[in-house]
Amino acid sequence: MFTTRPELTGDFGMVASTHWLASAAGMSVLERGGNAFDAAVTAGFVLQVAEPHLNGPGGEVPILLWSEAEQRPFVVCGQGVAPAAATIERFTDLGLDVVPGTGLLAATVPGAFGGWMLMLERWGTWSLADVLEPAISYAEHGVPVLERVSATIGTVERLFSEDWPTSAATWLPHGQVPEPGSRLTNPVLAATYRRLVTEAAQASGTREGQIAAARDAWYRGFVAEEIAHFSGGKAWRDSSGEPHSGLLTGDDLAGWAASVEEPLTFDYHGHTVCKTGPWGQGPVFLQQLALLSGFDLGGMGHLSPDYVHTVIECAKLAFADREAWYGDPGFADVPMAGLLSEAYNVERRTLVGEDASYELRPGAPEGRVPRLPHLPGPGTVSHAPGVSRTRGTAGVGEPTVGGDGRVKGDTCHVDVVDRHGNMVSATPSGGWLQSSPTIPSLGFCLGTRGQMFWLQDGLPASLRPGSRPRTTLSPSFALRDGRPWLAFGTPGGDQQDQWSLNFFLSVVHGGLGLQEAVDDPMFHSEHFPSSFFPRGSLPGVLHIEERADPALVAELRQRGHQVEVLGPWSLGRLSAVARDTAPGGFLHAAANPRGAQGYAVGR
């Protein structure tokens, strides 16, 4: 099969990400003696500078990793929580029925810094100064402006100029939208990170002590003070059309810390897939596998009408359960064992018929009655509640998917494997430049992950002070016959656990190599409610790249799917690294050609 670039094979180390600068920076760490964890942290901070329209310091990061020394996988939760003042009543008293998609009200504690620092401290070997040096250099001296960065800033130029002047000062140099290929700097962010390094070095002479001191400066020191002051100060216009100040306080930041958790797993055809807990959408990948395990996908033929129909219909069932059952397990009783049980999935498989379903059908695991939120009516964002009629929807929601469901940008992703056998899969996101006004003293803005909460009582994903929003960020990890094998993932909001599933199934059932599976025509369902403001849905709609067989498209339409054929290279932004499980095997890597910025490097 033709591939857009070779699958990389070697035995020293591999880094794959959504931007070539991050991949190169991560590989430089491996070349200089760092391990996979050092490399991933370094790449993660570079992504904040190279892809500022897709992630930032004020965002979050979930991480899946394999520690060769401990011979086991772990989850690092770098997802911050809702402020103590963020109650449903606080929002409804403001006349809101959904959390705004932009501005300060949707901010949660920025967890990315804590997540990266926790991994660096526990499993890494490099110092704080060393992992931050490339990001500081790029922020100070500039990065080439991606076409999509320019387009994103152009979309929100009026918002910045008229309503968010601090963002205009940061992202509209000389009052102009930066041209693609020009050099864009962020000296204020560089100064923020330099100050962290300086304060950490003054506080301690040890690597671990400096990491702890930097974390303290971020969550209890000067960074926290600036965030709290900005959040509680001026009211800024958000996507509701009205100005609001934020709810995040210094106590909220001081009371939060990143955590290490056990992954949820599911065994599928000799592979053990690892995902985050139901505070993220990751388990929906496992639920799809649990449903698909009862079908002969291999016998159907790769990307045949039966194959695509079955995958899409199982996705609809799994994502319906996501809507009814997923939330922060610290606040909600999520019946994961029941959702993944064979008895439950035998029953659910009977709902997969010959024709496309147009219903949202959550199940009743362990006999429990599902409860869905009051969903906005089907259709475009302009018909959903809470959307500003005066400002439109510029900048709202997940940048990967526009209001019409078409892919317009990305979150970020990075995968790393080193010569020792350590592996990392991380999906940093949030705090993108169009999220909320830039904090002028820090050079970055707060994220808007709180838009994923529901302003309705009694749901697993209801807004509760101190709880994690049910994020879409979903890195993936898989073992083969009990040995670490594959780290992979993609940007894409709700599509992450569809595109990454397509990739995984292409390797497992289609027999494709990593790069072949990345390049394979992608498809996904828009059937279920979006996780992002303003929470619309498109029942029965299936998006597929036009490289797919026209006969496949025609047959899917015959089965009732509302197929929308999109550009030939428009869906999915996957990257992956792998290690052969046999002794003496090679390392492998692949990255996405779509958008002309993802790259894998290695040797």
Side-chain angles (χ1 to χ4, degrees), residues 181-236:
S182 63
R183 187 182 294 268
L184 184 64
T185 64
N186 190 341
V188 179
L189 177 60
T192 296
Y193 280 141
R194 284 196 185 282
R195 181 174 173 183
L196 280 174
V197 171
T198 299
E199 289 195 5
Q202 293 171 345
S204 176
T206 68
R207 188 187 80 92
E208 292 77 9
Q210 289 176 7
I211 294 170
R215 187 165 48 225
D216 192 62
W218 189 275
Y219 292 102
R220 284 166 287 278
F222 80 94
V223 176
E225 291 170 2
E226 294 297 327
I227 290 174
H229 176 74
F230 189 82
S231 175
K234 176 182 174 180
W236 301 83

Side-chain angles (χ1 to χ4, degrees), residues 58 63 77 109 115 119 136 151 174 176 192 241 273 277 301 333 357 373 395 427 450 454 472 566:
I63 305 170
C77 176
V109 173
M119 184 168 71
I136 292 172
H174 311 295
Q176 301 295 319
T192 296
V273 179
D333 181 12
S357 169
T427 310
W454 289 103
T472 54
L566 304 185

Side-chain angles (χ1 to χ4, degrees), residues 49-406:
V49 181
E51 296 188 291
H53 59 316
L54 313 174
N55 80 137
E60 47 275 326
V61 61
I63 305 170
L64 277 161
L65 65 90
W66 173 270
S67 166
E68 186 68 7
E70 296 165 276
Q71 287 291 295
R72 53 184 292 207
F74 295 92
V75 171
V76 174
C77 176
Q79 173 58 62
V81 300
T87 63
I88 291 175
E89 293 73 25
R90 184 71 172 263
F91 280 81
T92 56
D93 285 348
L94 294 172
L96 298 171
D97 49 11
V98 291
V99 178
T102 64
L104 299 179
L105 278 177
T108 56
V109 173
F113 190 82
W116 290 126
M117 289 300 102
L118 176 56
M119 184 168 71
L120 180 67
E121 179 182 48
R122 178 163 170 176
W123 291 284
T125 64
W126 271 33
S127 71
L128 174 76
D130 286 339
V131 298
L132 282 178
E133 189 276 330
I136 292 172
S137 179
Y138 281 128
E140 199 163 62
H141 300 292
V143 294
V145 174
L146 296 168
E147 183 177 342
R148 295 185 180 195
V149 171
S150 179
T152 298
I153 296 175
T155 299
V156 292
E157 179 184 12
R158 181 187 170 201
L159 173 70
F160 284 6
S161 298
E162 297 184 7
D163 297 319
W164 296 359
T166 60
S167 295
T170 305
W171 303 110
L172 295 172
H174 311 295
Q176 301 295 319
V177 175
E179 292 290 329
S182 63
R183 187 182 294 268
L184 184 64
T185 64
N186 190 341
V188 179
L189 177 60
T192 296
Y193 280 141
R194 284 196 185 282
R195 181 174 173 183
L196 280 174
V197 171
T198 299
E199 289 195 5
Q202 293 171 345
S204 176
T206 68
R207 188 187 80 92
E208 292 77 9
Q210 289 176 7
I211 294 170
R215 187 165 48 225
D216 192 62
W218 189 275
Y219 292 102
R220 284 166 287 278
F222 80 94
V223 176
E225 291 170 2
E226 294 297 327
I227 290 174
H229 176 74
F230 189 82
S231 175
K234 176 182 174 180
W236 301 83
R237 185 185 297 273
D238 57 38
S239 56
S240 72
E242 299 297 327
H244 298 107
S245 56
L247 304 176
L248 202 58
T249 69
D251 288 342
D252 294 319
L253 279 90
W256 180 85
S259 59
V260 177
E261 302 177 0
E262 295 291 323
L264 284 176
T265 63
F266 187 81
D267 292 332
Y268 182 84
H269 288 262
H271 305 84
T272 301
V273 179
C274 306
K275 300 293 286 188
T276 70
W279 51 267
Q281 74 172 8
V284 80
F285 190 114
L286 308 182
Q287 283 199 249
Q288 290 173 93
L289 291 181
L291 289 163
L292 291 169
S293 64
F295 297 94
D296 183 13
L297 288 185
M300 293 176 186
H302 185 58
L303 293 187
S304 68
D306 284 342
Y307 178 104
V308 175
H309 173 79
T310 302
V311 170
I312 287 292
E313 292 305 298
C314 287
K316 293 175 182 177
L317 294 173
F319 277 86
D321 279 342
R322 182 194 72 167
E323 292 307 306
W325 297 111
Y326 288 20
D328 187 340
F331 293 80
D333 181 12
V334 184
M336 280 312 313
L339 291 168
L340 293 175
S341 69
E342 177 60 13
Y344 177 73
N345 284 282
V346 165
E347 178 183 351
R348 295 284 278 166
R349 286 182 206 120
T350 64
L351 299 177
V352 177
E354 292 297 316
D355 297 319
S357 169
Y358 280 68
E359 299 178 67
L360 190 65
R361 299 178 292 180
E366 302 165 359
R368 296 169 56 175
V369 178
R371 182 183 172 195
L372 288 171
H374 304 306
L375 303 171
T380 63
V381 294
S382 62
H383 299 115
V387 177
S388 164
R389 299 297 188 266
T390 59
R391 288 291 178 193
T393 57
V396 305
E398 222 281 350
T400 306
V401 182
D404 58 0
R406 285 170 168 75

Side-chain angles (χ1 to χ4, degrees), residues 10-87:
D11 59 11
F12 180 80
M14 298 284 167
V15 184
S17 83
T18 50
H19 197 289
W20 68 88
L21 290 179
S23 297
M27 190 66 200
S28 75
V29 173
L30 298 182
E31 294 283 6
R32 290 179 286 161
N35 63 20
F37 312 113
D38 304 318
V41 173
T42 302
F45 281 107
V46 169
L47 285 171
Q48 295 175 0
V49 181
E51 296 188 291
H53 59 316
L54 313 174
N55 80 137
E60 47 275 326
V61 61
I63 305 170
L64 277 161
L65 65 90
W66 173 270
S67 166
E68 186 68 7
E70 296 165 276
Q71 287 291 295
R72 53 184 292 207
F74 295 92
V75 171
V76 174
C77 176
Q79 173 58 62
V81 300
T87 63

